[in-house]
Amino acid sequence: MQFGVFTVGDVTVDPTNGREPTERERIKAMVTIALKAEEVGLDVFATGEHHNPPFVPSSPTTMLGYIAARTERLLLSTATTLITTNDPVKIAEDYAMLQHLADGRVDLMMGRGNTGPVYPWFGQDIRNGIPLAIENYDLLRRLWREDTVDWRGKFRTPLQSFTSTPRPLDGVPPFVWHGSIRSPEIAEQAAYYGDGFFANHIFWPAEHTRRMVGLYRQRFAHYGHGSADQAIVGLGGQVFMRKNSQDAVREFRPYFDNAPVYGHGPSLEEFTAQTPLTVGSPQQVIDRTLGFRDYVGDYQRQLFLVDHAGLPLKTVLEQLDLLGEEVVPVLRKEFESLRPAHVPPAPTHASLRAAAEQAATDKSAGTEAGR
């Protein structure tokens, strides 16, 4: 199982002192968080994609390429690549290039984003959100898997004898997760292709996440990719920890109350009771996270949001220390002991390459046997 952190890259005033970081400070802080994630033994760093204030990560490949050059083991991901408003050709080429630079330590999470105006900014209509996601991803897969593509669709100009460059590393495209908060169509899309499904799992109660993941698992099996419990599932979540749970609640409350996505609504107590947000001791985070398995089954990736809502970098790095030293080692051991042997681990470039090589060997053997 993979454990890591993801960031949405918000530039938010620290409500305890009124200080707002500059864009440069926030971008540099995100890099520091990624480097710290590798240092403390986490597996994944993921960045969102946004094109509007108060967010800064408008170019994930630039940031991830820079981080790739400064890390050795960390798997680099997006916490949303906007499949609806980015050109599939550009996605295919950008992430194949990143694959080569990072020696395969790259995957993507496709999504539609949560900012409506981004559609007209990039020449699209939000009412076409789902059809765009379906058509663009279908083209992206072909661009990665076919050396020469002839294609015609509804939302972009046709392609004739087109080859995207560079080709995917080792002929193996990056693994794709389809991220969604509320859209069953995206769970269906992930299942159809046998890709991963990432449930954001931050804003909604457990029952909603259970239904979404259950639909994906059911359809994954329907399309013949394996049994339902072999489907590839990831979850998001936000945590804030201190050694003493009362200290955690007291310190996090002003950040929660003023957060761009949380503030001025339900209380911290109401939100933690009704959603997976966990504010407390490391043991409480361990217990809560282990409980996710009760309603989504065995899953392959857990990402934590730890830098949202104006939290100072020093505090975020302390959160990473707690994750790396006290939380993730226990979770890794417990989840591994519970996972049945037939449930696959999280995909990596190495495992995907091995599977592709085995498939080629099996195909060759079958051809020889048929002669």
Side-chain angles (χ1 to χ4, degrees):
M1 186 165 172
Q2 295 170 344
F3 295 91
V5 291
F6 72 102
T7 180
V8 295
D10 58 306
V11 179
T12 303
V13 173
D14 185 331
T16 66
N17 59 24
R19 187 180 186 281
E20 180 178 339
T22 65
E23 290 182 324
R24 179 181 184 277
E25 288 173 330
R26 187 66 173 101
I27 291 168
K28 293 287 190 177
M30 292 164 67
V31 172
T32 300
I33 290 165
L35 301 182
K36 183 71 170 181
E38 176 164 276
E39 176 190 323
V40 301
L42 301 186
D43 304 305
V44 183
F45 172 81
T47 175
E49 178 188 345
H50 296 276
H51 298 276
N52 57 289
F55 305 98
V56 293
S58 58
S59 180
T61 51
T62 304
M63 171 168 284
L64 295 179
Y66 182 74
I67 294 170
R70 301 186 61 186
T71 55
E72 297 180 356
R73 184 189 53 81
L74 195 66
L75 202 160
L76 308 170
S77 183
T78 55
T80 298
T81 295
L82 298 178
I83 188 62
T84 46
T85 50
N86 282 309
D87 183 359
V89 174
K90 196 71 170 71
I91 295 176
E93 296 187 334
D94 282 354
Y95 286 93
M97 175 70 79
L98 181 59
Q99 248 197 330
H100 285 271
L101 291 172
D103 298 321
R105 294 182 289 129
V106 175
D107 60 28
L108 290 83
M109 186 190 306
M110 300 297 177
R112 293 179 293 133
N114 58 7
T115 306
V118 74
Y119 285 84
W121 293 341
F122 288 87
Q124 300 294 349
D125 186 332
I126 192 173
R127 292 170 293 187
N128 295 326
I130 293 293
L132 274 165
I134 293 171
E135 179 177 297
N136 283 354
Y137 184 59
D138 179 69
L139 173 56
L140 175 61
R141 284 183 62 89
R142 290 190 57 190
L143 290 167
W144 273 337
R145 288 165 172 80
E146 300 174 26
D147 289 337
T148 305
V149 173
D150 293 297
W151 179 89
R152 181 179 297 273
K154 180 179 179 181
F155 298 110
R156 78 173 314 280
T157 53
L159 297 173
Q160 184 174 356
S161 300
F162 179 78
T163 300
S164 68
T165 60
R167 305 304 297 145
L169 178 64
D170 301 321
V172 178
F175 184 75
V176 169
W177 304 82
H178 298 259
S180 180
I181 297 176
R182 63 188 179 277
S183 302
E185 296 92 340
I186 301 304
E188 174 75 16
Q189 184 182 38
Y192 177 80
Y193 291 109
D195 294 336
F197 179 66
F198 190 91
N200 185 279
H201 200 219
I202 287 183
F203 308 111
W204 292 75
E207 178 58 26
H208 172 80
T209 300
R210 184 192 66 79
R211 289 196 303 269
M212 290 287 285
V213 173
L215 170 64
Y216 161 67
R217 290 189 183 280
Q218 175 190 354
R219 300 301 289 171
F220 181 94
H222 169 80
Y223 288 116
H225 301 298
S227 60
D229 60 351
Q230 291 177 312
I232 308 298
V233 174
L235 295 181
Q238 181 165 3
V239 297
F240 186 85
M241 294 173 286
R242 288 302 184 202
K243 296 287 188 180
N244 182 291
S245 60
Q246 289 83 7
D247 291 339
V249 171
R250 182 174 60 253
E251 184 176 346
F252 188 67
R253 188 181 300 281
Y255 295 98
F256 175 89
D257 288 345
N258 293 279
V261 297
Y262 294 140
H264 314 291
S267 69
L268 175 58
E269 287 74 16
E270 290 171 325
F271 212 90
T272 52
Q274 297 174 22
T275 77
L277 172 65
T278 308
V279 180
S281 67
Q283 187 60 52
Q284 286 175 302
V285 170
I286 290 169
D287 293 341
R288 191 81 179 278
T289 306
L290 287 172
F292 298 161
R293 182 178 177 274
D294 295 339
Y295 54 90
V296 302
D298 292 287
Y299 63 110
Q300 284 79 7
R301 175 176 285 187
Q302 175 67 57
L303 298 184
F304 297 105
L305 179 63
V306 295
D307 69 332
H308 178 59
L311 287 165
L313 179 59
K314 178 177 180 294
T315 300
V316 174
L317 298 180
E318 291 166 351
Q319 298 297 301
L320 288 168
D321 279 329
L322 289 170
L323 279 175
E325 294 169 7
E326 300 191 31
V327 174
V328 167
V330 177
L331 290 176
R332 202 185 298 280
K333 180 179 178 181
E334 291 295 323
F335 276 117
E336 184 60 28
S337 69
L338 294 167
R339 182 171 65 90
H342 71 282
V343 173
T348 64
H349 182 75
S351 69
L352 295 171
R353 182 180 61 195
E357 291 171 350
Q358 185 61 52
T361 299
D362 293 345
K363 181 178 179 180
S364 176
T367 301
E368 288 296 325
R371 288 180 178 175

